[in-house]
Amino acid sequence: MKLIISLLAFLLVSHLAFTQYYESTYRSLGNQNKPEREGWLQDAGFGMFIHFSFDSQLGIVISHSMVGASKDYQDRFVNELPKTFNPYLFNAREIAKLAKLAGMKYVVLTTKHHSGFCLWDTQTTDFNIMNTEYGKDLLKEYVEALRAYNLGVGFYFSPEDFHFLYQNDQIVRRRGGEPLPEKVLEDYFELTRRQCRELMTNYGTIDVMFFDGGDGGVQEVAKEACWEIQPNLLVTRGAMETPEQKIPGVASEKVWEACITMGTQWQYKPTNDDYKSASRMIEILIETRAKGGSLLLNIGPKPDGTLPDEQEARLREMAAWHFINQEAIHNVRPWIITGEGNLWLVKAKDEPTVYAFITGMPDWPRGERREFVLRSLKSTPNTKVTVLGQSDELVEYNPEVDATTRFTQNEDGIHISCVRAQRIYNNHKWHNPIVLKLTNVAPALEPPLIATAGSKTMDGHILLEGELINAGDANSVDVGFMYRKYVGFAENLKYTNWQYTEFIPLQKAGTYSVALDNLEKGITYEYKAVVRHPKIEMTGDVKRVTR
């Protein structure tokens, strides 16, 4: 008995030492992206994500149905379902063409999701697309199509592999659980290493890699294998912030990438989905760019390889908008503030040019003049203001309308008067944002800085806490919060309905709090700190609290 106990103790210590060795070895890799490659992503600003695998045949969540599933379900999932997978209508060139029209500069495809199923001709496992009715290397066609349209080639790769766990009689799990046996973990690492080497050697130069998941150092094994072969590879998830289904509340100087679905599911969902409108997705793109990020917008092809009509229609609406306003999306950086009310702001990377996206005006009739004030910037003797896509010369069928864009510099900011003149649809209505281009402008103020702190539940109410970092160039500011119900992980970005709390005057930096006693019990809320400068309003990052 003592011998058995000693042997078990030895094996446990050996396993822990082995695991700790790999974790400590690979954790140090961190971010080895080259600055010029991160700059490329900041310039690009918009990409397409494609979630696609054999379980799209059922219209269910990609891969995750294996976790917690019965043994017979897993058996059928692994052994039967791939046999009927045949994306015979998959046309990578048409998808690439549509991505390019929509303004996307790169595309990222799920080469292997968590299930372990590979979309390429791999020598590492039989669980791949060559053993389906399709029987071809889908990844090869995908890479060739992207290069034909001068798009960055991106691979999603999951170091987690449910099929590997299934084969090795391990519990199929996402994160945590009992450590894998040493031999299994060694094989896991080797499988990951071999697959990444195939991806990095069989398809030429790869521009972007998105790693998703992986415990025990396996993601670091994947990163090392890829960077060893292609040191210029840009790793997004795994090396930088990649918020999922959300946009940060504040701008960042560091490069980041948000990954967002059109509806509620990454892979094809034939029923019960709730799509965002194309207009809302344009607003999400605008907000992402105003905050310094790149938007990776997802599509999920049908099991035959074609796009659902709802997704294609939204991409084409975005393509129409991008065709007009593309210079405001690419090669831009955050302005001194992200926006003023319904006007989001970005600046050209290397020029004193600011773009103002006018959102929240879906009912602006063609030929009607409207006026705006921008308080965060000021004009110079060489300033010009135009509307992207418009000539300022005429409004079709309305020769009496003056289409000129005008501005004046007043003490409170630049006052702009413009007309929506361009005809986009036959019915003369265009519900998406128009964009003002202001050249040779300069900052007009020093903005304040606010931070969202924590929250406390006290005596039946919630106490929200914030911190005024500085008041900018103002002698006094007002601080408070915005809040709303949290409606769900994938659904949240569909809505913009924030409410304000009361505001408190502050003359100097410091902490503050506001109590909310009208919240529903058991409901989760989002909140963010707000500061009102005499000219502008700014917010902190978004946090959550449950009443």
Side-chain angles (χ1 to χ4, degrees):
M1 179 62 72
K2 288 183 179 180
L3 179 62
I4 294 173
I5 292 174
S6 298
L7 180 60
L8 289 174
F10 172 77
L11 291 174
L12 177 60
V13 170
S14 298
H15 171 77
L16 290 174
F18 176 82
T19 303
Q20 289 169 1
Y21 165 76
Y22 272 98
E23 288 183 340
S24 62
T25 299
Y26 292 113
R27 188 182 297 121
S28 62
L29 280 178
N31 182 356
Q32 293 186 7
N33 288 327
K34 295 185 176 179
E36 60 270 23
R37 295 297 299 136
E38 292 192 344
W40 171 86
L41 182 65
Q42 287 180 306
D43 289 345
F46 192 21
M48 175 185 281
F49 214 175
I50 306 177
H51 274 69
F52 191 40
S53 195
F54 70 100
D55 46 357
S56 62
Q57 296 175 92
L58 303 178
I60 59 176
V61 59
I62 188 170
S63 300
H64 292 273
S65 69
M66 285 187 73
V67 180
S70 62
K71 184 65 165 58
D72 67 300
Y73 179 94
Q74 292 179 352
D75 290 345
R76 286 181 280 117
F77 186 89
V78 166
N79 299 313
E80 296 179 19
L81 192 57
K83 294 177 182 178
T84 52
F85 184 48
N86 187 10
Y88 66 101
L89 293 178
F90 179 78
N91 190 323
R93 290 183 70 92
E94 288 302 310
I95 292 174
K97 190 188 304 181
L98 183 55
K100 192 174 185 71
L101 277 173
M104 293 150 166
K105 298 297 186 181
Y106 63 107
V107 183
V108 178
L109 171 69
T110 50
T111 62
K112 185 188 84 165
H113 205 265
H114 306 316
S115 71
F117 184 80
C118 299
L119 288 180
W120 76 95
D121 185 5
T122 178
Q123 302 305 304
T124 64
T125 176
D126 292 334
F127 196 48
N128 70 69
I129 199 164
M130 304 304 291
N131 296 311
T132 67
E133 285 187 8
Y134 187 69
K136 294 184 293 183
D137 189 333
L138 186 142
L139 198 54
K140 183 174 184 292
E141 179 186 349
Y142 160 80
V143 170
E144 291 173 351
L146 295 192
R147 294 204 175 108
Y149 287 95
N150 197 31
L151 295 169
V153 177
F155 290 166
Y156 166 109
F157 179 84
S158 171
E160 290 183 299
D161 193 314
F162 298 160
H163 178 258
F164 175 86
L165 297 176
Y166 166 87
Q167 279 190 315
N168 284 272
D169 297 320
Q170 302 297 312
I171 295 174
V172 175
R173 72 274 184 105
R174 189 67 230 279
R175 295 189 182 96
E178 291 296 318
L180 295 177
E182 183 176 323
K183 180 60 169 68
V184 174
L185 191 61
E186 286 180 344
D187 292 344
Y188 209 167
F189 285 163
E190 183 57 25
L191 174 68
T192 300
R193 192 177 289 110
R194 289 176 60 201
Q195 289 182 338
C196 286
R197 286 172 177 166
E198 284 185 346
L199 292 174
M200 293 297 105
T201 56
N202 294 351
Y203 301 96
T205 300
I206 306 305
D207 299 291
V208 177
M209 203 75 183
F210 187 110
F211 294 110
D212 190 14
D215 286 343
V218 68
Q219 185 178 116
E220 299 305 307
V221 170
K223 285 161 59 177
E224 182 192 52
C226 290
W227 269 326
E228 181 181 3
I229 296 171
Q230 297 204 28
N232 290 322
L233 177 72
L234 175 70
V235 173
T236 55
R237 178 164 291 180
M240 67 176 65
E241 291 297 319
T242 55
E244 186 170 325
Q245 303 287 33
K246 63 181 179 181
I247 305 171
V250 295
S252 174
E253 294 181 358
K254 293 183 178 180
V255 61
W256 58 274
E257 178 187 59
C259 46
I260 307 292
T261 55
M262 289 188 176
T264 62
Q265 185 162 288
W266 293 101
Q267 190 166 243
Y268 173 59
K269 188 176 184 182
T271 60
N272 307 309
D273 210 352
D274 183 15
Y275 281 99
K276 304 172 188 70
S277 68
S279 295
R280 181 66 190 122
M281 289 189 284
I282 289 169
E283 291 173 351
I284 291 170
L285 172 62
I286 291 169
E287 182 178 352
T288 302
R289 298 304 283 143
K291 293 177 178 177
S294 180
L295 176 62
L296 192 58
L297 182 63
N298 185 74
I299 63 168
K302 295 161 64 176
D304 64 8
T306 60
L307 284 191
D309 290 344
E310 299 90 342
Q311 296 182 21
E312 180 180 350
R314 282 159 174 77
L315 285 175
R316 294 204 182 277
E317 185 175 333
M318 297 183 80
W321 183 86
H322 177 268
F323 193 78
I324 300 165
N325 301 297
Q326 54 191 279
E327 72 172 89
I329 291 297
H330 311 292
N331 303 304
V332 296
R333 298 292 186 269
W335 177 234
I336 61 169
I337 62 173
T338 57
E340 301 183 33
N342 286 332
L343 280 73
W344 293 93
L345 302 169
V346 298
K347 69 174 291 291
K349 182 174 69 169
D350 299 317
E351 299 174 10
T353 296
V354 171
Y355 299 94
F357 302 86
I358 305 173
T359 65
M361 294 192 177
D363 56 349
W364 189 344
R366 196 170 67 90
E368 180 177 288
R369 181 172 292 278
R370 294 188 177 180
E371 298 190 356
F372 308 90
V373 181
L374 287 170
R375 296 176 170 83
S376 66
L377 42 84
K378 61 185 177 182
S379 63
T380 68
N382 297 317
T383 294
K384 292 182 179 179
V385 181
T386 56
V387 177
L388 291 186
Q390 296 184 182
S391 68
D392 268 15
E393 295 175 355
L394 57 87
V395 177
E396 188 181 25
Y397 303 134
N398 292 285
E400 73 285 355
V401 173
D402 176 11
T404 306
T405 301
R406 302 188 289 266
F407 76 93
T408 57
Q409 177 67 65
N410 294 355
E411 186 175 345
D412 64 339
I414 299 180
H415 288 240
I416 300 169
S417 176
C418 62
V419 174
R420 192 182 74 77
Q422 193 173 15
R423 180 180 175 186
I424 309 301
Y425 285 157
N426 263 14
N427 61 1
H428 303 277
K429 295 180 179 179
W430 180 240
H431 53 284
N432 288 318
I434 72 169
V435 183
L436 298 170
K437 178 181 181 179
L438 300 95
T439 59
N440 298 305
V441 290
L445 53 84
E446 180 186 339
L449 185 60
I450 193 83
T452 308
S455 59
K456 298 176 182 176
T457 302
M458 301 173 59
D459 301 325
H461 63 255
I462 289 177
L463 194 69
L464 304 181
E465 301 173 325
E467 181 180 5
L468 179 66
I469 308 299
N470 66 67
D473 58 10
N475 294 323
S476 177
V477 295
D478 293 328
V479 295
F481 294 91
M482 298 171 73
Y483 68 99
R484 67 179 182 181
K485 285 184 180 180
Y486 175 66
V487 296
F489 181 59
E491 295 85 355
N492 212 43
L493 276 176
K494 190 174 180 181
Y495 304 101
T496 57
N497 51 332
W498 292 92
Q499 300 179 63
Y500 287 99
T501 65
E502 63 176 312
F503 276 73
I504 303 166
L506 285 182
Q507 284 75 44
K508 61 181 181 179
T511 59
Y512 69 96
S513 59
V514 173
L516 287 178
D517 55 12
N518 60 340
L519 303 182
E520 297 178 43
K521 193 171 183 179
I523 300 296
T524 299
Y525 290 83
E526 293 184 306
Y527 66 98
K528 54 185 175 180
V530 184
V531 54
R532 285 177 175 166
H533 179 279
K535 289 186 176 181
I536 59 168
E537 179 178 288
M538 296 187 68
T539 64
D541 212 345
V542 179
K543 295 194 174 184
R544 293 180 200 154
V545 60
T546 300
R547 165 76 165 83

